Every structure is written in C-alpha cells, then in structure tokens.
Amino acid sequence: MDIIHISAECYPAAKVGGLADVVGALPKYQSLLGHSATVIMPFYHGKFSKSNEFTVVFSGYARLGHANLAFNILKPVNNNLGYDLFFVDIPGLFDRENVYSYHDDTERFITFQIATLNWLNTLEKTPDVVHCHDQHTGFIPFMMSKVREYSRFEQVPSVFTIHNGQYQGQFGFDKLYFLPPFHSYFNGLVEWHNLINPLASAIKCAWRVTTVSPSYLDEITYEMKGMEELLRNERGKSYGILNGIDVEVWNPETDPMLEQNFGLKTLEQGKKACKDSLCNQFGLNPDKPLFTFIGRLVGEKGADVLPEVIYNVSKYNPGEQNILILGSGEKHIENSLLHLESEFKGSYCSYIGYNEKLSHMIYAGADFLLMPSRVEPCGLNQMYALRYGTIPIVRRTGGLRDTVIDIGDDGFGICHDQCSTFDIIHSIQRAKTLYKDKRTFKKVRKEIMQIDHSWNKAAAEYVELYQSLKL
Ligand code: ADP
C-alpha cells in the first residue's frame, strides 16, 4: 500500500513528545511489512534542519485567507530512516526553532495542511490512504472530502489518530476564511460548541478514528474536554490501537547514549554502571533506590503533585531513596522542583529542560520510573523503562492501564488508582520493599526486559485497518 502520514512532529526531525516517537517509528515498521510509507511534516528551523542538507522537489503557493504564501517541498539528501520524509517549508510561518506555542499556530498549521494537499494534488498518483496525526492535521480529512479543489481525494480513505485529545486547536468563526472555500452547508463539519475545532472536524470526517490505546478510547467517551458526546457518536468507526516502541532506537544493548550497554545476561552490571554514572552526575547515593520522572511538567502528567511527594518522602524518610526529575513545562512546577533541591541536596535533584541523552541515561540507570498521570493516551515512557529494566510505578489510566500489571496481580509494575500524594507515596513505599527483596527485584527486572512492545503488532494492525477501507 501507498501510505501517507501527515504530522507536526517526527523523530528525529522534530520532537516535543510521544507523537514524534510514534510518527518516527510506525512508517519504518510499515515499510518493513512491504508497504511504501511516507511522512510529511513542517520544516522547522531547529537542530535537524541546520545539520542536514535538503533538495527542493516542488515549489508552490498556499492560499491562507487573503494571502498567497510561497512554499517548498524539501527532501533530505541523505535519508536512512527506513521511509520517505518530506518537509513543507513555509517561510514566515515555520522558520522558527520551536514546534508549537506561537501566537499564530492556527495560521501556521492550516497553511501547512493546505500546502501539503496542494502538493499531493500535483502528483500523478493518489495514495491508498492518508493517515493524519493530532489536531494540527485535523482539517485534512474534511478538505479531502468537502473542498472542491481537492475533490480528487474524495475516494481516498483517511485515518485520524488521536495521540492527545487535550489539545484541540479550536478558534473562532472570524478565522473561518483561512480555510479553503467550501459550501456553507458543510460548516457543521468543522464546528464544535460554536467554535471551529480541527480535532472535532477530524473525528467527524475521517473514515476511521484511532486512539493510541484501547483504554484511552473508552475513557474519552466520558471525559475529553467537552468532546465526549461526539466520540460516543463516532464510536462505531473508532479503534484503540496500542502504540509500540522503536526497539532499534530504544535498545539497551546498542544505545550509544548509555554509560554502558547491557542485555539480559549483563543486566545487573550494566544497570549498575549506568546508575553509578547518573548518581555521580547528580550527586546522589547509588546504594539507595533511584526513583525518577521524565516528562512534561503539566497537570496531565500529574507533575503538579510531584513537589509535595518529594517533600514528604525526603523529609519523613530521609536517606532511604534518591529522586531525579527530568522535565519542563509549567513555571510554578519547575520553580517548586528547583526550590526543593537546596533542602534535600544529596537525595533529590531535578534537570529542568529537554535532554534526549539524559532521558536515555535515566531509563537505563533508574530503579523505578514514576508516571502518576491524570491522563495518559498511551504513554511511551513506561515501555522504554520496561525495556531498560526499570520498574514503572503508574496510575491506572489510559495506556498505562493497558501496559502495566501490578506485581500483586502476578504482574511486574506498581499501580495505584489516584493521582494523589497519598497513593504515590504508598507506591514508593511498596517499591522500596521490593528493592530490598533482591531476589524478586532481580527476577522482575529480567522479566520486564523481555516484554515485547515493538511496533510489529501495531504496524500490522494499522495496515489491516487501512486495507479494510479499500473500495
Ligand atoms: P507525551 O504526552 O509528552 O507525548 P509520551 O509518554 O507519549 O508523552 O512521550 C514522551 C516522550 O518524550 C518520551 O520519548 C520521553 O522520553 C520524552 N520526553 C519527555 N520529556 C522529556 C525531557 N524533558 N527530556 C527528554 N525527553 C523527554
């Protein structure tokens, strides 16, 4: 099949979170299954664009309201990703370092979608399926089916994956004219609660909707920022497909970012070397269990509860554990986390910022990874942790519910029900008991490293879904 993925992020070209990891890996595994998979994404002026060479394969214009914006389609000169990657370069809108959080994100991503379809419209062949990811590509299914300019795509199946339903991209009707012209009786297909909403539009118009875990699909039909009813209506065409992980990038035996590589047979020595180096870097005691957190410092991830947890555990159980946090996000959480450092020097440390190498070092060197998420569509961190022999401590929600089984239920992780200080601390106490029981601790580490969360299964499930849409 000829599969086109359209996304705002794709690892290694641009990554903010899990969306990049998924779009960077799924097409690779689909290519391995014998399909032609392509990714189209915006051309940001970040590290990747500065350190690679590109050729222009197409030049055109995208109309955004009254403006006619020039764009180029770029292709990397060297590409060993295992799938084709194309960039939409739109000067004035994307020649900035960051992916999101600009005042004109609405204009940026609408233009990206229009430019993408304008380019695809010039190609000789239409794809077998167009797979869009998150709200930044949410108008594509609508435009493919209802905008006359793109009528060539009317019969091309579109699949839309919700990686995170918290971000919907809605804006007022005053900006309706940014979208290419369409008949006003289709207004309802771009609207939700009196706003224009790309996520709602995709849910309404895509031939199939998927979520990144089965549990998340169930959950969002009763809790998704006002869109529950729509999801209940569209439940019949929606599927939960659990994400995989790229087991080539995330392989403790070959990962170049680790102090020492390790496999099943060298697990104990390898993890010790990684833990020692990490503790050394952050002034922590390697003999104590190391609890970690990696992620966006936002309420969705339960990060707002972390400062209180760190305070209580460090004050009332001093010398029993180390805690290391890597993340960035809301300023008040960052400040609280930094503030605690001076008080608990030697047993707690945080790194505020984004650091890919450090994240790999933590997955490898930690004993436990905390994920107290309030919302977790799938969660990749727990799967990386498992692969690197680190035991996840998770709140039972979304994809965490689907991937981590509590040790008390013959599983391998530690689970709790609430995103509360009490529940998290209780889990930390359970983890410390497990840490002391060296035999069981070692056994669990060995067991989790062998769990297969590779993309093989999910990549095939997506292809099966696309094939079911063939006319
Ligand atoms: P999200 O909701 O943020 O997409 P996921 O669990 O799906 O959460 O994916 C998070 C990805 O981002 C993982 O690859 C994780 O290691 C990475 N990540 C998050 N925050 C940081 C950070 N501060 N530094 C390095 N990597 C990070």
Side-chain angles (χ1 to χ4, degrees):
M1 294 188 90
D2 194 0
I3 306 158
I4 301 271
H5 291 275
I6 308 177
S7 169
E9 296 178 43
C10 174
Y11 181 82
K15 171 169 169 178
V16 175
L19 171 64
D21 289 355
V22 172
V23 179
L26 173 60
K28 180 163 113 183
Y29 285 79
Q30 291 177 331
S31 299
L32 290 172
L33 291 173
H35 303 283
S36 153
T38 299
V39 174
I40 305 173
M41 67 180 294
F43 189 67
Y44 309 101
H45 282 206
K47 228 197 233 159
F48 188 87
S49 66
K50 287 175 191 147
S51 53
N52 284 278
E53 274 182 66
F54 302 88
T55 47
V56 177
V57 296
F58 179 80
S59 296
Y61 286 90
R63 177 164 282 284
L64 177 81
H66 308 304
N68 214 12
L69 302 167
F71 72 89
N72 290 316
I73 301 294
L74 309 181
K75 195 180 173 171
V77 172
N78 299 308
N79 175 355
N80 54 9
L81 297 170
Y83 53 88
D84 279 332
L85 177 60
F86 290 95
F87 292 92
V88 184
D89 178 25
I90 312 174
L93 291 181
F94 284 96
D95 40 1
R96 312 173 197 178
E97 191 159 345
N98 295 330
V99 175
Y100 313 117
S101 302
Y102 293 103
H103 70 281
D104 55 352
D105 277 358
T106 298
E107 288 85 335
R108 293 169 80 223
F109 287 103
I110 291 179
T111 313
F112 163 62
Q113 295 173 77
I114 294 172
T116 300
L117 285 183
N118 285 0
W119 172 49
L120 292 178
N121 222 357
T122 66
L123 302 181
E124 202 177 305
K125 202 176 154 286
T126 53
D128 293 317
V129 64
V130 171
H131 188 158
C132 304
H133 300 266
D134 269 352
Q135 60 90 3
H136 322 98
T137 62
F139 290 124
I140 299 252
F142 170 77
M143 294 199 283
M144 284 170 62
S145 56
K146 296 292 179 277
V147 170
R148 191 178 295 163
E149 227 176 306
Y150 306 124
S151 56
R152 195 170 161 235
F153 300 111
E154 213 176 346
Q155 300 302 318
V156 175
S158 56
V159 172
F160 181 80
T161 297
I162 305 173
H163 295 258
N164 194 334
Q166 300 293 106
Y167 303 94
Q168 303 184 355
Q170 63 272 54
F171 53 90
F173 267 86
D174 54 321
K175 290 186 176 175
L176 180 65
Y177 74 107
F178 285 161
L179 293 174
F182 59 87
H183 209 291
S184 60
Y185 49 66
F186 293 135
N187 276 0
L189 293 176
V190 294
E191 178 270 351
W192 190 246
H193 290 169
N194 286 324
L195 290 170
I196 300 177
N197 186 316
L199 183 65
S201 175
I203 295 167
K204 291 178 185 186
C205 300
W207 290 32
R208 292 290 182 272
V209 172
T210 69
T211 59
V212 286
S213 71
S215 285
Y216 185 60
L217 179 58
D218 291 339
E219 288 170 12
I220 58 180
T221 54
Y222 52 89
E223 173 88 69
M224 198 179 88
K225 291 208 156 180
M227 222 178 267
E228 308 76 24
E229 189 194 333
L230 176 60
L231 282 151
R232 277 199 293 274
N233 288 340
E234 302 294 350
R235 185 69 177 80
K237 67 170 187 189
S238 307
Y239 297 80
I241 300 180
L242 189 69
N243 278 341
I245 58 170
D246 189 329
V247 290
E248 282 178 18
V249 174
W250 297 91
N251 183 355
E253 286 189 276
T254 54
D255 191 332
M257 303 189 212
L258 305 191
E259 175 71 16
Q260 189 173 308
N261 290 113
F262 59 92
L264 257 192
K265 289 201 178 116
T266 48
L267 161 71
E268 291 303 322
Q269 307 93 287
K271 273 194 83 75
K272 183 174 180 327
C274 292
K275 183 177 177 183
D276 284 350
S277 125
L278 199 57
C279 288
N280 195 21
Q281 184 176 338
F282 290 96
L284 304 170
N285 179 351
D287 297 331
K288 307 290 173 197
L290 176 57
F291 292 87
T292 56
F293 172 94
I294 300 172
R296 292 181 291 117
L297 299 175
V298 294
E300 197 190 323
K301 298 282 177 195
D304 52 320
V305 188
L306 288 176
E308 198 191 345
V309 168
I310 295 164
Y311 179 81
N312 279 296
V313 170
S314 309
K315 188 162 173 71
Y316 300 111
N317 306 109
E320 288 188 11
Q321 67 279 308
N322 293 305
I323 304 177
L324 177 61
I325 308 285
L326 164 62
S328 60
E330 287 168 17
K331 283 286 163 265
H332 70 99
I333 306 179
E334 293 184 354
N335 290 339
S336 306
L337 289 171
L338 286 172
H339 183 77
L340 287 165
E341 275 191 347
S342 54
E343 203 155 336
F344 301 112
K345 213 166 184 287
S347 67
Y348 158 67
C349 213
S350 58
Y351 179 107
I352 302 299
Y354 188 92
N355 189 325
E356 189 73 25
K357 180 166 190 245
L358 181 57
S359 75
H360 286 239
M361 289 169 62
I362 294 177
Y363 289 121
D367 295 305
F368 299 98
L369 181 84
L370 296 163
M371 293 185 78
S373 309
R374 288 197 174 78
V375 182
E376 197 58 84
C378 176
L380 297 171
N381 301 16
Q382 78 280 16
M383 297 196 255
Y384 298 145
L386 292 168
R387 185 147 169 81
Y388 283 63
T390 294
I391 297 170
I393 299 178
V394 307
R395 171 164 178 254
R396 285 188 188 93
T397 184
L400 297 174
R401 190 191 291 279
D402 294 339
T403 50
V404 182
I405 304 169
D406 191 90
I407 211 157
D409 300 323
D410 286 335
F412 44 81
I414 295 177
C415 305
H416 52 92
D417 287 318
Q418 306 297 330
C419 172
S420 65
T421 309
F422 178 84
D423 270 28
I424 301 168
I425 292 180
H426 179 65
S427 293
I428 290 178
Q429 302 302 3
R430 287 182 66 203
K432 286 194 275 192
T433 308
L434 173 65
Y435 184 81
K436 282 187 201 142
D437 177 359
K438 287 290 174 219
R439 245 188 83 212
T440 315
F441 184 63
K442 279 184 188 172
K443 189 176 127 274
V444 174
R445 297 224 278 202
K446 266 218 158 103
E447 191 183 315
I448 58 181
M449 275 188 76
Q450 296 173 75
I451 300 174
D452 179 10
H453 275 301
S454 76
W455 267 106
N456 292 331
K457 184 163 170 273
E461 275 181 75
Y462 275 114
V463 170
E464 209 176 296
L465 179 70
Y466 306 153
Q467 273 164 344
S468 73
L469 301 176
K470 267 190 182 165
L471 292 175

